[in-house]
Amino acid sequence: MSRDEQLKQRWDNLVSLLSDKFADGETLDLDAIIYLVGVQELGKVHQSFKKDEKLNLMHIAICRLLEPYGYYEFDYFDKDGWPHYKVKEQLPHLKAGEQSVLMKEALVNYFLEREVIE
């Protein structure tokens, strides 16, 4: 199986699993899954968040997801327990489709590490 086929298969499996668990079967999109990672990384899973906090959660997730690629590095937790990252390397300019593939790959790797998917 090619790398692209394996990524697609794992991505579809991840979307199905998370959609069943968190969206009553409605299909979660990429942004929703990134948001879930942000909530997981913050560790406050039963809290409601304001709009600006939701954007911050997505930023946390993106930093955490791209950390293994060398773009971000964890820096510290603030007094409210929110993680902060510093930029190690600027992201290359990517087309929308390339960004989507990178994020899907990063998400699949994140959930593989946690043994949520195989």
Side-chain angles (χ1 to χ4, degrees), residues 74-89:
F74 174 76
D75 196 13
Y76 67 96
F77 288 102
D78 67 20
K79 64 179 175 51
D80 296 319
W82 287 69
H84 291 260
Y85 289 80
K86 60 185 174 186
V87 176
K88 283 183 66 180
E89 182 181 327

Side-chain angles (χ1 to χ4, degrees), residues 95-112:
K95 296 175 186 169
E98 294 169 329
Q99 282 181 344
S100 178
V101 170
L102 175 61
M103 292 312 299
K104 287 178 181 179
E105 181 181 297
L107 282 159
V108 163
N109 289 335
Y110 178 87
F111 285 99
L112 282 169

Side-chain angles (χ1 to χ4, degrees), residues 33-94:
I33 296 173
I34 291 170
Y35 172 77
L36 288 175
V37 170
V39 172
Q40 173 69 31
E41 288 298 308
L42 181 61
K44 299 181 180 180
V45 295
H46 299 293
Q47 181 175 324
S48 295
F49 297 99
K50 298 176 187 161
K51 185 176 181 177
D52 62 324
E53 290 175 321
K54 289 178 181 179
L55 290 173
N56 289 337
L57 285 167
M58 292 184 75
H59 177 73
I60 288 168
I62 290 167
C63 292
R64 171 58 189 89
L65 292 166
L66 296 180
E67 185 178 29
Y69 295 83
Y71 295 114
Y72 295 94
E73 180 177 65
F74 174 76
D75 196 13
Y76 67 96
F77 288 102
D78 67 20
K79 64 179 175 51
D80 296 319
W82 287 69
H84 291 260
Y85 289 80
K86 60 185 174 186
V87 176
K88 283 183 66 180
E89 182 181 327
Q90 290 295 322
L91 279 165
H93 181 72
L94 300 172

Side-chain angles (χ1 to χ4, degrees), residues 8-29 32-33 36-37 107-108 110-118:
K8 182 180 180 346
Q9 186 176 39
R10 286 177 168 166
W11 174 252
D12 290 344
N13 182 26
L14 178 62
V15 169
S16 177
L17 181 81
L18 295 177
S19 296
D20 288 345
K21 187 167 184 166
F22 296 105
D24 297 324
E26 292 286 322
T27 303
L28 293 174
D29 64 9
I33 296 173
L36 288 175
V37 170
L107 282 159
V108 163
Y110 178 87
F111 285 99
L112 282 169
E113 285 174 16
R114 282 154 187 73
E115 299 179 349
V116 173
I117 59 170
E118 296 178 1

